[in-house]
Amino acid sequence: MVNTTLKKLSQVSGLSISTISRALKNHPDISEKTKSLVIELANTLDYEPNINAVHLRTQNNRLFGVIVPSISNFFHESVIAALEEECRKNNYTLMILQSGDDPEIESDNIKLCRQNRVNGLFACITPETKNIESFSKLKEVDIPIIFFDRVPERSDCHKVCVADIDSATMAANLIAEKQKKKVLALFGNSNFLITKKRFNAFTEIMSAHNIACITAYSSNETHSEELTNIYLAENPDSIFCMTDEILTGVMRAIQKKQLKIPDDISVIAISNGYIPTLYYPSITYIETSGKKLGKLAFESMMSTISGSTFIQDRTIESVLVRGQSI
Amino acid sequence: MVNTTLKKLSQVSGLSISTISRALKNHPDISEKTKSLVIELANTLDYEPNINAVHLRTQNNRLFGVIVPSISNFFHESVIAALEEECRKNNYTLMILQSGDDPEIESDNIKLCRQNRVNGLFACITPETKNIESFSKLKEVDIPIIFFDRVPERSDCHKVCVADIDSATMAANLIAEKQKKKVLALFGNSNFLITKKRFNAFTEIMSAHNIACITAYSSNETHSEELTNIYLAENPDSIFCMTDEILTGVMRAIQKKQLKIPDDISVIAISNGYIPTLYYPSITYIETSGKKLGKLAFESMMSTISGSTFIQDRTIESVLVRGQSI
DNA sequence: TTATCAACTGCAAACGTTTGCGACAATGTT
DNA sequence: AACATTGTCGCAAACGTTTGCAGTTGATAA
């Protein structure tokens, strides 16, 4: 069966297309009698407006795009979930795109956003995104972009990030407070601005408290496990994990060696919150909430869309969630 | 700046809109000289076709929808990832929708699919979806639906599922093979067909081997943990977990009680594969691959779209992934 | 010269909506 | 009786494409 259109409703009812259209959107020009008649007819014929035609005509898609490296990631998942919820509330649609951390796919995705005439884009850039030229094309056509989590370094764009320095500082301070003497600190991809900032903040506090600090970078689970095995030889009394991936690697190494947490070794992480609860004793972590980030990013989008020329640069504050691992 | 359109390209170049359109899609009617001229112009003006107009005109959106309860789920995540990859390869777009297991949102999502004139829908229904009336409306307008994972019981619809009986059977057989005497078996939502089938298959094998079997249903982590604590009093020598959520609950209980796996107790699960590897010793599990399911669902979609009237009813076979937990 | 042909390009309709404007009848006002 | 007002409704253009068909060239053949 072919789709019902306004034209069909018009033919069946004998009313004009414009009357049908107005009746369905409760326009004051149309009499109540006609309205109810049209609405009933539309229901029996299962009319659904063709959204392409609507958008073409109104030039407003009520559509946002979001580009993440992968939806298979606790943090980005929760960001998307939050964005989705807000979109639903505000009657927007969300187009979810995955870049796979590939700049080429990323630029394809941006093209898709342009073709779809999105009203705005939320973007978490890939590590390799050096220039944001493909993004600037969006700006040329007045499509606002809210960068989140991994953002460009330049200052002339909207950003919503988790606390970079703060979260590292909180973890470091807790380690100092607990009188730890030697910490193994594992950081994520060293290309990211956030990693650099956290690294500096963390190591600074360590040296301020005269705590020995072994540092290394790792961006996946297996590598983290290897690193842990290597540096465990130096007998650290605590381990700091900057990401969930690092945490799982570290935990595998610890479990294999049958070390007791927190007696043999303490663990503290920065996390979105799910992974740390899987272990026993549960891992103490600094929560960087994707939900909050999503909500804030959406707010920023709405305010720039409604005309604010203010450059949004906002930060989610982190909170310490105490487990028994330190 | 406003978007570049064919009309603008036409005005700038002095060529007609139709020539522009044809030149951009390499139509043989247009001379090479004109083509390269137009293409260059389009590039400098950053032309991107308005996809709404294209779809409206061509009546083909190259768009699929997928409805999942939530993308925050290991299994559905991997299904989506697979679908997305196939879509990209075949030049389709994927519209990802979350129902939150709420039938009302589900039906809103279906409406969205209709409004967007999707070419097909992949759907994982909510536990409460009793009648599939809202889905049948899609069928009326010739939008094919491939149900996956959680599917309606009726036989007149396309389905792609993970092995229900097989996976339970494999787990049960391994338990028997390892000479276990008393097993605690935790199953998921008892409303689901898949749970019933697995329950029956599992318990049947247990009784065939004279293995004592304590069974219970649970659909979240906390509840599973409680159940485990309760039934651990009956000293089972092994635990079967039908889902990842159950597994994490069970593991928390086990870790709290400091039980040694597999000496004190054995564990076996049905899982998508990520969670079992987090623990040490790693958990033996029956893998139900979301990736494979996604690929198969896409295949089914393509074949029904290209005219096959055959009712697709396909199953992903499970494979045993041996850890050290049994 | 005229007819024929190929190569190239433009006209105009159509996809399904929304919406400014005008038409028309019925009613109220002077 | 003439006019203004109000309540309903339809006409037609526009959004940005695609595409069947026809038109315009210039060259070649008769």
Side-chain angles (χ1 to χ4, degrees):
Chain A
M1 201 183 81
V2 77
N3 271 305
T4 309
T5 66
L6 291 185
K7 189 196 278 186
K8 189 189 251 175
L9 293 181
S10 155
Q11 286 165 347
V12 175
S13 67
L15 294 163
S16 80
I17 292 182
S18 35
T19 302
I20 304 281
S21 173
R22 280 190 258 254
L24 287 175
K25 34 181 38 70
N26 204 22
H27 192 283
D29 268 9
I30 309 297
S31 71
E32 290 304 325
K33 213 178 63 185
T34 310
K35 275 181 195 168
S36 53
L37 192 147
V38 169
I39 289 173
E40 192 178 355
L41 182 64
N43 281 336
T44 63
L45 263 60
D46 275 331
Y47 171 74
E48 287 292 345
N50 183 324
I51 232 168
N52 286 313
V54 175
H55 290 165
L56 178 59
R57 167 64 219 230
T58 61
Q59 300 286 71
N60 182 4
N61 287 9
R62 295 199 79 81
L63 173 68
F64 288 134
V66 54
I67 304 183
V68 291
S70 158
I71 59 168
S72 306
N73 173 295
F74 299 107
F75 184 69
H76 294 138
E77 248 174 51
S78 54
V79 175
I80 291 176
L83 286 179
E84 239 237 341
E85 195 182 328
E86 294 300 315
C87 280
R88 179 189 316 286
K89 280 185 198 160
N90 291 271
N91 209 21
Y92 274 81
T93 307
L94 186 65
M95 190 167 78
I96 304 168
L97 300 167
Q98 306 186 64
S99 70
D101 269 346
D102 179 341
E104 204 159 330
I105 300 185
E106 181 178 63
S107 118
D108 282 352
N109 284 337
I110 295 173
K111 190 179 286 190
L112 256 180
C113 284
R114 289 196 54 196
Q115 294 182 349
N116 279 85
R117 301 295 189 265
V118 296
N119 295 108
L121 173 62
F122 301 95
C124 173
I125 65 179
T126 80
E128 281 81 25
T129 306
K130 295 302 180 205
N131 59 12
I132 55 168
E133 199 205 339
S134 30
F135 285 104
S136 8
K137 285 194 180 170
L138 284 186
K139 286 196 185 168
E140 278 173 27
V141 290
D142 294 327
I143 298 179
I145 311 173
I146 310 288
F147 292 100
F148 67 92
D149 193 29
R150 294 192 323 223
V151 305
E153 302 205 6
R154 48 194 291 183
S155 64
D156 60 344
C157 47
H158 306 294
K159 301 173 190 169
V160 181
C161 297
V162 295
D164 35 30
I165 294 180
D166 262 22
S167 54
T169 304
M170 288 172 74
N173 283 336
L174 190 65
I175 289 173
E177 182 187 310
K178 296 284 183 175
Q179 316 262 352
K180 297 301 169 187
K181 300 299 176 206
K182 189 170 190 179
V183 51
L184 168 59
L186 298 178
F187 297 88
N189 190 317
S190 57
N191 280 334
F192 298 152
L193 186 57
I194 190 171
T195 305
K196 294 174 197 162
K197 286 190 180 174
R198 283 177 172 172
F199 182 92
N200 291 337
F202 190 90
T203 52
E204 198 170 309
I205 296 182
M206 290 298 101
S207 56
H209 287 83
N210 281 318
I211 302 175
C213 186
I214 313 163
T215 61
Y217 297 99
S218 166
S219 39
N220 68 62
E221 188 177 325
T222 315
H223 185 218
S224 308
E225 184 180 349
E226 290 165 10
L227 287 176
T228 310
N229 280 327
I230 293 171
Y231 291 117
L232 235 31
E234 304 187 20
N235 289 313
D237 55 16
S238 50
I239 304 185
F240 164 74
C241 311
M242 201 189 98
T243 69
D244 275 324
E245 286 74 22
I246 294 175
L247 175 62
T248 55
V250 166
M251 286 304 289
R252 195 199 308 285
I254 290 180
Q255 294 182 33
K256 273 193 190 166
K257 285 211 193 307
Q258 312 240 25
L259 298 178
K260 286 262 174 293
I261 295 175
D263 299 336
D264 298 336
I265 195 154
S266 295
V267 176
I268 184 168
I270 297 181
S271 163
N272 191 32
Y274 178 68
I275 295 285
T277 65
L278 290 183
Y279 300 102
Y280 186 84
S282 67
I283 308 299
T284 295
Y285 65 97
I286 315 294
E287 188 200 45
T288 57
S289 161
K291 265 224 152 68
K292 284 186 199 162
L293 191 149
K295 278 197 191 307
L296 205 53
F298 194 86
E299 268 180 37
S300 299
M301 176 67 84
M302 290 316 254
S303 83
T304 66
I305 273 196
S306 58
S308 155
T309 58
F310 186 70
I311 295 287
Q312 308 276 340
D313 189 351
R314 308 172 76 167
T315 302
I316 312 297
E317 29 182 289
S318 4
V319 326
L320 171 65
V321 180
R322 289 180 190 273
Q324 294 88 43
S325 68
I326 185 168
Chain B
M1 200 184 81
V2 77
N3 271 303
T4 310
T5 66
L6 290 185
K7 189 197 277 188
K8 188 188 249 175
L9 293 181
S10 156
Q11 286 164 346
V12 176
S13 66
L15 294 164
S16 81
I17 292 182
S18 35
T19 301
I20 304 280
S21 173
R22 281 190 257 255
L24 287 174
K25 35 181 35 74
N26 205 21
H27 192 284
D29 269 8
I30 309 297
S31 71
E32 289 304 324
K33 213 178 63 187
T34 310
K35 275 181 195 168
S36 53
L37 192 147
V38 170
I39 289 173
E40 192 177 353
L41 182 65
N43 281 336
T44 63
L45 262 60
D46 275 330
Y47 171 73
E48 288 291 347
N50 182 324
I51 232 169
N52 286 313
V54 175
H55 290 165
L56 178 60
R57 168 62 221 228
T58 60
Q59 301 285 70
N60 181 4
N61 286 10
R62 295 198 79 81
L63 173 68
F64 288 134
V66 55
I67 304 183
V68 291
S70 158
I71 60 169
S72 306
N73 172 294
F74 298 108
F75 184 69
H76 295 138
E77 248 174 51
S78 53
V79 175
I80 291 176
L83 285 178
E84 238 237 342
E85 195 183 327
E86 294 300 316
C87 280
R88 181 190 316 286
K89 280 185 198 161
N90 291 271
N91 210 21
Y92 273 83
T93 307
L94 186 65
M95 190 168 78
I96 304 168
L97 300 167
Q98 306 185 65
S99 70
D101 270 345
D102 178 340
E104 204 159 329
I105 300 185
E106 181 178 64
S107 120
D108 281 352
N109 284 338
I110 295 174
K111 189 180 285 190
L112 256 180
C113 284
R114 288 197 55 195
Q115 293 182 348
N116 279 87
R117 302 297 191 263
V118 296
N119 296 108
L121 172 63
F122 302 94
C124 173
I125 65 178
T126 81
E128 281 82 26
T129 306
K130 294 303 180 208
N131 59 11
I132 54 170
E133 198 205 338
S134 30
F135 285 104
S136 8
K137 284 194 181 171
L138 284 186
K139 286 196 184 166
E140 278 173 26
V141 289
D142 294 328
I143 297 179
I145 311 173
I146 310 287
F147 292 100
F148 67 92
D149 193 27
R150 296 193 321 224
V151 304
E153 301 204 7
R154 48 195 289 181
S155 64
D156 61 344
C157 48
H158 306 294
K159 301 173 190 169
V160 182
C161 297
V162 295
D164 37 29
I165 295 179
D166 263 22
S167 54
T169 304
M170 288 172 74
N173 282 336
L174 190 65
I175 290 174
E177 184 187 310
K178 296 284 184 176
Q179 316 260 352
K180 299 298 169 190
K181 301 299 175 208
K182 189 169 190 179
V183 49
L184 167 59
L186 298 178
F187 296 88
N189 190 317
S190 56
N191 280 333
F192 299 153
L193 186 57
I194 190 171
T195 304
K196 295 175 196 163
K197 286 191 180 174
R198 283 177 172 173
F199 182 92
N200 291 336
F202 190 90
T203 51
E204 197 169 311
I205 296 182
M206 290 298 102
S207 56
H209 287 83
N210 281 319
I211 304 176
C213 187
I214 313 162
T215 61
Y217 296 98
S218 166
S219 40
N220 69 62
E221 189 177 325
T222 315
H223 186 216
S224 309
E225 184 180 348
E226 291 165 8
L227 286 176
T228 310
N229 281 327
I230 293 172
Y231 290 117
L232 235 32
E234 303 188 19
N235 289 313
D237 55 15
S238 50
I239 305 184
F240 163 75
C241 312
M242 202 189 97
T243 69
D244 275 324
E245 286 75 23
I246 294 175
L247 175 62
T248 54
V250 165
M251 286 304 290
R252 196 200 308 282
I254 290 180
Q255 291 180 2
K256 274 192 190 166
K257 287 213 192 307
Q258 311 242 26
L259 298 179
K260 286 262 172 293
I261 295 176
D263 298 337
D264 298 337
I265 196 155
S266 295
V267 175
I268 184 167
I270 297 181
S271 164
N272 191 32
Y274 178 69
I275 295 285
T277 65
L278 290 183
Y279 299 102
Y280 185 85
S282 67
I283 308 300
T284 296
Y285 65 97
I286 314 295
E287 188 200 46
T288 57
S289 162
K291 266 225 152 67
K292 284 187 198 161
L293 191 150
K295 279 198 191 305
L296 205 53
F298 195 86
E299 270 180 36
S300 299
M301 177 65 84
M302 290 317 253
S303 82
T304 66
I305 274 197
S306 58
S308 155
T309 57
F310 186 71
I311 297 287
Q312 308 276 340
D313 189 351
R314 308 173 76 168
T315 302
I316 312 298
E317 29 181 290
S318 8
V319 326
L320 172 64
V321 179
R322 289 180 190 273
Q324 294 86 43
S325 67
I326 186 168

